[in-house]
């Protein structure tokens, strides 16, 4: 009896250890792998995703603070988001996808129009239509969209339903879902050419 009890206890402990190890790995997040670069810094330079909901269209984005941070795990990768205050952090953690930018915060115009057919390199591995969260953003149908520049935002706003449909088709083809794919942590107008390189 004791022998079988010992075997049962040993197998149970081994199974528990395996489960805990798997959970630990999941919590740690996967290491960077193109196009996922969570360790490059906070998403969209740490601009507060919740604050955009309180701004006027001509306002600049609000910089978040490291002490008010939240982690969102997508496709196994842990991304950091910063917020300007505890209230915004709380609102975000209650319903993250309500506040997260479409297409990972990459330029919504670029996701819609910059394809291989038009000479751009963006695909499921090389992702990087750059974005400027401080000055080039808009809200449409309760969704946050980020752009490379205010001029591209204005072009997009001339027919937002058309460009949103084009971008969603492109994103779904690459990543299989609107709540999948990378977030922008390193691709800005000033370094956009670096985003075209396969590392």
């Amino acid at each position: 009896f004791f022998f079988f009890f010992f075997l049962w206890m040993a197998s149970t402990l081994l199974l528990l250890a395996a489960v805990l190890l798997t959970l630990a790995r999941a919590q740690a997040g996967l290491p960077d792998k193109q196009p996922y670069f969570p360790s490059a810094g906070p998403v969209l330079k740490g601009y507060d995703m919740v604050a955009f909901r309180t701004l006027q269209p001509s306002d600049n984005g609000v910089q978040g603070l490291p002490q008010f941070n939240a982690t969102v795990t997508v496709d196994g990768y842990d991304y950091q988001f910063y917020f300007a205050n505890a209230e915004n952090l709380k609102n975000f953690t209650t319903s993250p996808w309500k506040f997260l930018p479409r297409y990972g915060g990459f330029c919504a115009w670029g996701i819609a129009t910059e394809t291989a057919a038009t000479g751009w390199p963006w695909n499921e591995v090389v992702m990087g239509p750059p974005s400027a969260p401080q000055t080039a953003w808009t809200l449409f149908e309760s969704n946050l969209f980020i752009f490379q520049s205010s001029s591209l935002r204005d072009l997009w706003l001339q027919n937002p339903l058309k460009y949103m449909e084009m971008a969603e088709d492109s994103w779904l083809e690459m990543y299989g879902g609107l709540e999948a794919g990378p977030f922008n942590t390193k691709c800005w107008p000033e370094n956009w050419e670096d985003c075209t390189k396969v590392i």
Side-chain angles (χ1 to χ4, degrees):
F1 171 79
F2 290 107
F3 175 75
F4 291 110
F5 178 75
F6 175 78
L7 285 178
W8 177 79
M9 283 296 295
S11 62
T12 301
L13 289 173
L14 285 173
L15 179 61
L16 180 59
V19 169
L20 290 175
L21 181 61
T22 300
L23 287 174
R25 286 176 175 167
Q27 289 175 350
L30 295 171
D32 288 6
K33 180 181 179 183
Q34 195 155 349
Y36 300 85
F37 296 103
S39 70
V43 171
L44 294 174
K45 297 184 176 182
Y47 278 86
D48 186 333
M49 300 294 101
V50 176
F52 285 109
R53 308 289 169 151
T54 67
L55 301 177
Q56 296 299 313
S58 59
D59 290 344
N60 282 348
V62 176
Q63 185 71 57
L65 301 171
Q67 60 263 40
F68 302 115
N69 70 85
T71 300
V72 173
T73 302
V74 178
D75 299 340
Y77 297 88
D78 293 340
Y79 287 92
Q80 291 293 310
F81 291 83
Y82 290 175
F83 302 90
N85 52 58
E87 182 180 0
N88 285 4
L89 170 60
K90 180 181 178 182
N91 288 335
F92 179 83
T93 55
T94 300
S95 184
W97 285 99
K98 174 182 176 181
F99 300 101
L100 290 173
R102 284 295 182 98
Y103 327 126
F106 293 95
C107 177
W109 171 266
I111 298 296
T113 66
E114 295 176 359
T115 65
T118 58
W120 292 93
W122 317 130
N123 57 51
E124 66 275 10
V125 175
V126 181
M127 178 47 55
S131 56
Q134 179 182 7
T135 57
W137 62 275
T138 195
L139 292 169
F140 181 75
E141 293 188 344
S142 299
N143 295 303
L144 174 62
F145 299 89
I146 311 292
F147 302 86
Q148 178 179 344
S149 66
S150 56
S151 59
L152 291 181
R153 175 196 60 203
D154 293 344
L155 282 174
W156 189 90
L157 284 171
Q158 291 178 14
N159 197 337
L161 290 175
K162 171 188 173 182
Y163 294 122
M164 188 165 66
E165 182 178 359
M166 290 169 63
E168 289 186 0
D169 287 347
S170 177
W171 195 262
L172 287 170
E173 182 178 348
M174 290 187 287
Y175 301 112
L178 294 179
E179 295 184 4
F183 281 104
N184 190 1
T185 59
K186 57 179 287 186
C187 193
W188 323 117
E190 62 269 20
N191 73 336
W192 73 269
E193 290 181 330
D194 292 338
C195 306
T196 67
K197 301 172 183 175
V198 177
I199 298 174

